[in-house]
Amino acid sequence: MSSPDISELSETQRSALETYTAVTDQEPVEAIALLSRSQWNVQIAIAKFFDGEGPDPVEEARASLENASPARPTRQTQNLLHEDLTARFSPASPANEPAPRIVTQPRDQPVFRPPFLLAIVFAPFNILYQLLFSSFRLFGTLFPFLPRLLNTTASPALQGARRNTNGRRPLAPKDTAARFIREFEEEYGTHSLEFLENGYNMALERAHRDLKFLLVVLCAPEHDHTETWVKETLLSKEVTDFVNDPQNNIIVWGGNVQDAEAYQVANSLRCTKFPFAAAIAHTPGVSSAAMSVIARMSGLTSPAEFVEKLRTGISQNKEPLERIRSTRAEQQASRSLREQQDSAYERSLAIDRERARQRREAEAARQREEQLAAERQAAEEKRIRDLEQWKQWRARSIPEEPDADVKDAVRISIRLLSGDRVVRKFGPEADMEELYAFVECYDILKEADLSEKTTAEKPDGFDHTYGFRLVSPMPRVVHEADAGSIREQVGRNGSLLVELIDEESDGEE
C-alpha cells in the first residue's frame, strides 16, 4: 500500500491533520490512516488514539454527517463527544463517565519580549490593562458567578489567555505537583494524605497499571468554601482513615486549578462546582484501557457523605478489579514458575558445563602428564644410550696399566659399589679425571680387547657428568674429578671408596 500524499488532501483535511498531530504527536502517515477511518473527525480520532480503536459504526456514521461543519478546537484536552454520542445512541453504554487523559503544555514555553522602544511606547497601555484586570478580579470576587459564566461562554483561546494571566509560572507536571504539595502543606499544615508527586497522566497510568482507585482533588484557592472543605472534610479523620486504608487501594492526586494542568483536568472531568473531588478507576467492561469516573464529590460535603460516595463507587467497581488482580496473580505465578524452572534449568546447565570443563581439564592434564612422562622416558633412554656410547668412547682413550719397571707409578685400591675391590696402577702424571673415567668404564674395560669390540665415537651434544665420587675412608676426604693429579691427592698408594651422589644430602651438607 502506497503512503498517502499530504498535497492531495483538501484544506479541511490538512487542518484536521495538523490539529490531530499537534495533540497526539503521531507520524503523518499513521495519522492520515486513522483520520480516514474516523471520517476525518479529529475528536473521534483523538479518542481512538488515547482509548484504543474499536468498531463504532454509530459514531462514524455521525461523524460522516458532521464533516461539513468545522471541527472544534482540541488542542488542550481530549474531547468527550465520542462517549456522549455513544451514551445517546447505545442503550448498553456504561453509566460511568470516562476519565480521559489530557495534553499537557510544554515545559519551557517561549516568552515573547518586545523591543525596548516598543515596551516604552506601550507601557501606558500595559498599566491600563493591569488596572482593568485587577478591577475585574475584584469584581469577580464580589460576584463569584460571573467568572464561571464567562468561563463557560468564552472560547478556548480566551480561556487559555485567562489561565496565562494568573501570574503562576508554568512548570512541568512533576514540578507542578511538587509545588501543589508544598503550598497545600504550607496552607493547611501537616496531614496524613499522600499526594502523588507526578502529573495527572502518570497518576492515571499508575492507577490503571496497579488496579487502584485514583482520588482526584481539585482546589480553587479563590473559592470561599475551599478552606472549610479541606479542613473539615478532606483532612478529617474519617476521610483520611478511609483513604489510607490499604484494603481500599486508593491513591491521591491533587492540583490547583490556577495551574494549567489542573485546569485542564477540571475541564476534562466537567467540574462545574468547587470544592471538587472525583474517584477514577479502571473499568474493564468498557475497554481494556478505559478509565472512568466512578464517584463525584462537588461542593460542601460532610465527611460521612464524602466517604459514603467514595465507598459506593469503590464497591460497585471492586469486583471486576479483583478478577483482574486474580488473573494477573495467576499470570505472575505462572511467570514466576517458568522463571524458576528456567533458572533451575540454567543452573543445571551451568553444573553440567562445569563438570564437562573439569573433565576436559582433567583429560588435558592426564594427556600432558603422559606426554611429559613419555618425553622423560625418551630422554632417559637417550641418556642411557649416550652414556653407554660415551663409556665405549672414553674406554678407548684410557691408557694401559704401567709396567712393573715404571718408577713412581701410583697404585690405587678401589672398592666399587658392587662391593668388589679393584687394584689398578696409574702413571705418575695421571690426574683424578682418569681415575674417575676408569671407575666409570670398568664394566667395559674388564671385557675383551676394546679395539676389536667397539669403534664408538663421542656422542654429539652429550654433557657427561659423573654420578659418583671417590672418597678416602680414614680420614674422610672427597676427591673431585677436577682436583688435580692422583699422586697429589691420594699419594703413591691409596684406598678409595666409590659413593653415589645424593643431591638431597649434598644440599643439607
Side-chain angles (χ1 to χ4, degrees), residues 172-390:
K174 185 174 182 180
D175 298 332
T176 303
R179 180 171 62 182
F180 168 77
I181 295 173
R182 184 179 66 253
E183 292 177 350
F184 191 87
E185 292 179 351
E186 291 175 356
E187 180 70 21
Y188 305 106
T190 57
H191 53 86
S192 58
L193 290 181
E194 295 183 2
F195 291 99
L196 296 178
E197 194 172 345
N198 49 35
Y200 168 76
N201 289 337
M202 292 296 296
L204 208 63
E205 182 65 26
R206 179 177 173 181
H208 177 266
R209 183 185 67 247
D210 299 341
L211 297 177
K212 293 188 175 182
F213 299 94
L214 175 62
L215 178 61
V216 177
V217 178
L218 298 177
C219 295
E222 298 179 353
H223 198 277
D224 297 336
H225 297 156
T226 298
E227 183 176 359
T228 304
W229 178 80
V230 170
K231 291 181 178 180
E232 297 180 0
T233 301
L234 183 63
L235 298 182
S236 65
K237 188 177 186 304
E238 184 177 356
V239 174
T240 55
D241 290 345
F242 183 82
V243 172
N244 295 329
D245 188 355
Q247 296 181 356
N248 295 327
N249 294 316
I250 299 176
I251 56 177
V252 186
W253 181 88
N256 188 339
V257 293
Q258 292 180 347
D259 294 324
E261 183 182 27
Y263 184 83
Q264 290 176 308
V265 173
N267 287 339
S268 300
L269 299 181
R270 297 180 179 179
C271 172
T272 57
K273 186 177 182 181
F274 288 100
F276 178 81
I280 301 174
H282 173 46
T283 50
V286 179
S287 66
S288 60
M291 299 294 290
S292 302
V293 179
I294 61 174
R296 287 174 172 272
M297 288 71 74
S298 300
L300 284 177
T301 55
S302 63
E305 184 181 358
F306 188 96
V307 171
E308 183 61 28
K309 289 184 178 180
L310 197 57
R311 181 183 290 110
T312 303
I314 291 176
S315 61
Q316 292 176 353
N317 295 269
K318 192 173 184 179
E319 184 178 354
L321 295 183
E322 290 294 339
R323 289 197 299 267
I324 298 178
R325 287 194 190 96
S326 61
T327 303
R328 288 186 181 180
E330 293 176 359
Q331 295 175 353
Q332 181 63 31
S334 302
R335 185 161 48 249
S336 300
L337 180 59
R338 287 195 300 269
E339 291 177 355
Q340 292 175 3
Q341 292 175 349
D342 295 341
S343 178
Y345 179 70
E346 290 295 335
R347 289 196 300 269
S348 177
L349 285 181
I351 294 174
D352 293 342
R353 286 194 293 266
E354 181 64 20
R355 290 175 179 174
R357 184 187 64 81
Q358 293 177 358
R359 286 195 297 268
R360 289 194 300 269
E361 291 181 354
E363 181 65 20
R366 185 185 63 79
Q367 292 178 359
R368 287 195 301 269
E369 187 64 27
E370 291 179 355
Q371 182 180 359
L372 292 176
E375 292 176 356
R376 287 193 296 268
Q377 183 179 359
E380 182 63 19
E381 293 176 356
K382 183 177 183 302
R383 188 190 69 80
I384 294 174
R385 290 194 302 269
D386 292 344
L387 178 60
E388 188 66 23
Q389 182 180 350
W390 183 87

